[in-house]
Amino acid sequence: MQIVKRAGPQPGVGKPLHSMDSIDPNPQGQTFAVERNPRLRYIIPAVVAVAFLMEQLDSTILITAVPDIAKSLDTTPLRMNLAVTTYILTLAMFIPVSGWFADRFGARRIFTLSLFIFTIGSILCGLATSLPMLIATRALQGFGGAMMTPVGRLILIRSFPRSQLVTAMTYMTLPAVIGPVIGPVLGGFLTTYLSWRWIFWVNLPFGMIGMAMALRYVEDTERDATIKFDFPGFVMVGLGCVLLQYGIENIGRPTIPGWAIVLTLAAAGLLLVGFIRYAKTAASPAVDLTLFKLRTFRIGTLAGGICRVGLNGVPFLLPLMLQVGFGLSPIVSGTLTFVSALSALVVRPASAKLLKLYGFDRMLTWSAVFGAAVVAGFALITPDTPHWFIIVYVFIFGLVRAGQFMTSNTLSYSDTPAAQLSRATSLGGVLQQLSVSFGVSVAAMLLGLVTLDGSPLTPEKFHIAFLLMAVIPLLGIPGFLKLQPEDGMQVSGHHRLPKT
């Protein structure tokens, strides 16, 4: 598909988030929106940034309020992990189809609709009176969120010439840094001094501003009714992931009989294996599995994903331990944990230098080892630990976590051919979301297993869960050891003799 303003898409193209690398910067002499109206250089990134800020805030603001929401909805903090994972899993399910929706119905239309769905979902979440209602409304939120950011990125690509795209992306991704920093503190403040319901209602003004700006300043693209969508593949992958998640959820805190858990996990496995077989013959499968033939992508996403699962359980376990185990207020908990997001600001400039010195293989292996050690170290934190020490330790955890994430993400796309880059970023984004979802689920499962006897959630129970979670990052090391020194060398700039 030609990425141009007011130019109709090419028939037969239905793959999500089409490749930026094959874009002609100025096909047939047509101008981009920002060239016709220079003010849009700032306005369009701002419109897309609103969507990014809403999604990033929502991904971090809820965790701090989990104990209060659980008490209000008459459930347990462990069951509340369903409200967290449902949102993330819905994101992962629908991100791959966002490009198809944009091509079929128009990017501006889908972007505005996604903002509307996300905002309505946020209002309904704040009105929830039971856990099932909150889970359902979180799924609605996730559907809107899955469309917002990928389609917003597509709007940027279509609005800017390639020479200006890097600057535009920088403006747009600032919320990705700001959101995780202010999310825990804002969530703690709203929960402590107003109500947990305001952590959802705070999205209302952002959503209204975003919709108004999108309708006013974003040009729409023509629609193509001829593009095809791999519905059978989407159902197999989506339902397989949902059943896998549901099965894991029930291991620690079963709500269905044991035989039903086994059947659920077996059905998930059959669906995912069935899709692997189906994808070999499908013309345009919902997920392009041929990308896993590329060693750097396979190791970066799969081995890196395993490592991320272990690290992604901490943001769920830590606020629970501070509030339920230690008895701290949400605002204190948020103040102690928000510093982990600041670590990304430190790691970002340092990661390039470290990669050049040590290469991907050593960086990923050692970051997995350090990550496991730091996660295990949370078992040493007690109610008597000084708050300043907790802040410093959480910051160190954030450094290790951000370093591992950035390195594995960079490796995933370092050797990906330009023609496959679009599908690789789409699939990689889905796997990243799944690593967050499974990280929370596994953490809740382990916490459930250590309290199966009905004992309360004491600090000691959390310590055991942290020690068990610390094993998971180590499981990614065998994959990292299969890397060659030359893998990703063009990106890292690291030069070392190949392994013999």
Side-chain angles (χ1 to χ4, degrees):
M1 189 181 94
Q2 297 282 334
I3 308 296
V4 296
K5 298 304 298 174
R6 298 291 187 187
Q10 300 297 318
V13 179
K15 293 176 182 176
L17 301 184
H18 309 283
S19 178
M20 291 167 49
D21 299 84
S22 58
I23 299 170
D24 183 349
N26 195 15
Q28 301 175 2
Q30 297 188 30
T31 57
F32 290 86
V34 298
E35 294 174 325
R36 295 191 297 272
N37 184 354
R39 288 192 310 157
L40 297 181
R41 294 177 183 176
Y42 307 102
I43 294 175
I44 290 179
V47 174
V48 179
V50 168
F52 266 58
L53 182 61
M54 290 171 68
E55 185 187 9
Q56 289 294 325
L57 270 177
D58 210 77
S59 299
T60 56
I61 199 173
L62 175 65
I63 298 295
T64 309
V66 161
D68 278 61
I69 300 176
K71 184 178 179 180
S72 175
L73 300 183
D74 194 26
T75 187
T76 65
L78 283 185
R79 299 307 299 171
M80 274 298 301
N81 77 297
L82 287 169
V84 178
T85 57
T86 296
Y87 172 80
I88 300 169
L89 189 59
T90 309
L91 277 179
M93 282 179 59
F94 288 101
I95 283 175
V97 303
S98 57
W100 180 85
F101 275 101
D103 290 341
R104 177 64 180 82
F105 300 105
R108 182 182 67 179
R109 187 168 304 180
I110 293 301
F111 183 70
T112 307
L113 180 63
S114 67
L115 284 168
F116 176 76
I117 293 173
F118 188 91
T119 305
I120 292 296
S122 299
I123 295 172
L124 294 176
C125 284
L127 296 173
T129 56
S130 66
L131 180 59
M133 180 179 176
L134 181 61
I135 291 171
T137 52
R138 286 284 285 172
L140 181 63
Q141 245 192 336
F143 177 70
M147 300 290 141
M148 282 194 315
T149 49
V151 176
R153 190 179 294 113
L154 204 56
I155 287 172
L156 273 183
I157 295 171
R158 291 171 171 171
S159 301
F160 283 81
R162 291 295 293 275
S163 60
Q164 301 177 22
L165 200 55
V166 173
T167 302
M169 287 289 186
T170 301
Y171 291 144
M172 182 196 69
T173 54
L174 282 176
V177 176
I178 297 172
V181 172
I182 67 174
V185 178
L186 180 60
F189 175 84
L190 294 174
T191 304
T192 302
Y193 298 110
L194 293 175
S195 165
W196 64 265
R197 300 182 186 277
W198 280 97
I199 68 175
F200 297 108
W201 292 340
V202 75
N203 287 323
L204 180 59
F206 291 113
M208 294 179 65
I209 292 170
M211 286 185 281
M213 292 178 68
L215 291 172
R216 172 67 178 85
Y217 295 107
V218 176
E219 295 182 8
D220 210 357
T221 51
E222 294 182 17
R223 293 165 285 167
D224 184 2
T226 65
I227 60 176
K228 303 297 182 182
F229 173 58
D230 179 24
F231 185 75
F234 169 71
V235 170
M236 283 189 280
V237 173
L239 187 58
C241 289
V242 169
L243 290 177
L244 180 61
Q245 177 101 32
Y246 185 67
I248 294 174
E249 299 282 355
N250 278 277
I251 293 175
R253 290 282 176 171
T255 58
I256 57 177
W259 60 266
I261 297 175
V262 174
L263 286 180
T264 299
L265 293 173
L270 288 173
L271 283 168
L272 294 174
V273 171
F275 175 77
I276 293 173
R277 296 176 63 89
Y278 165 83
K280 293 178 180 179
T281 57
S284 298
V287 176
D288 184 6
L289 298 182
T290 62
L291 290 163
F292 291 119
K293 294 179 180 179
L294 189 65
R295 184 171 60 236
T296 50
F297 182 84
R298 181 176 66 252
I299 294 175
T301 55
L302 297 184
I306 293 172
C307 192
R308 285 194 294 267
V309 167
L311 299 177
N312 280 327
V314 173
F316 176 76
L317 285 176
L318 184 58
L320 281 184
M321 184 173 74
L322 294 176
Q323 294 181 58
V324 178
F326 295 1
L328 300 179
S329 67
I331 184 64
V332 174
S333 172
T335 304
L336 294 177
T337 57
F338 86 100
V339 293
S340 66
L342 291 175
S343 306
L345 301 176
V346 178
V347 171
R348 197 178 298 269
S351 59
K353 295 180 181 179
L354 292 173
L355 272 176
K356 188 172 183 179
L357 283 173
Y358 301 109
F360 281 106
D361 52 346
R362 292 177 177 175
M363 280 287 293
L364 287 170
T365 301
W366 284 107
S367 66
V369 173
F370 290 142
V374 175
V375 172
F378 281 106
L380 301 176
I381 294 178
T382 69
D384 297 326
T385 302
H387 287 184
W388 68 263
F389 181 84
I390 296 176
I391 291 174
V392 171
Y393 195 81
V394 170
F395 184 80
I396 293 172
F397 164 74
L399 288 176
V400 176
R401 181 171 179 253
Q404 209 287 331
F405 286 11
M406 288 182 186
T407 307
S408 60
N409 289 342
T410 305
L411 173 70
S412 299
Y413 312 118
S414 60
D415 295 332
T416 303
Q420 293 181 291
L421 190 57
S422 168
R423 285 168 285 163
T425 54
S426 178
L427 177 56
V430 170
L431 293 174
Q432 286 179 41
Q433 294 291 349
L434 287 176
S435 74
V436 176
S437 180
F438 288 139
V440 174
S441 295
V442 171
M445 178 192 73
L446 294 175
L447 205 53
L449 288 174
V450 299
T451 55
L452 273 179
D453 57 357
S455 57
L457 286 171
T458 60
E460 291 74 23
K461 299 295 185 183
F462 284 100
H463 293 165
I464 296 172
F466 275 116
L467 291 173
L468 293 173
M469 285 296 294
V471 176
I472 299 177
L474 300 177
L475 301 179
I477 292 178
F480 300 144
L481 292 177
K482 293 182 180 179
L483 284 169
Q484 300 298 316
E486 65 270 20
D487 286 338
M489 191 168 56
Q490 291 182 340
V491 173
S492 66
H494 176 73
H495 295 279
R496 195 163 76 246
L497 292 175
K499 297 177 181 178
T500 57

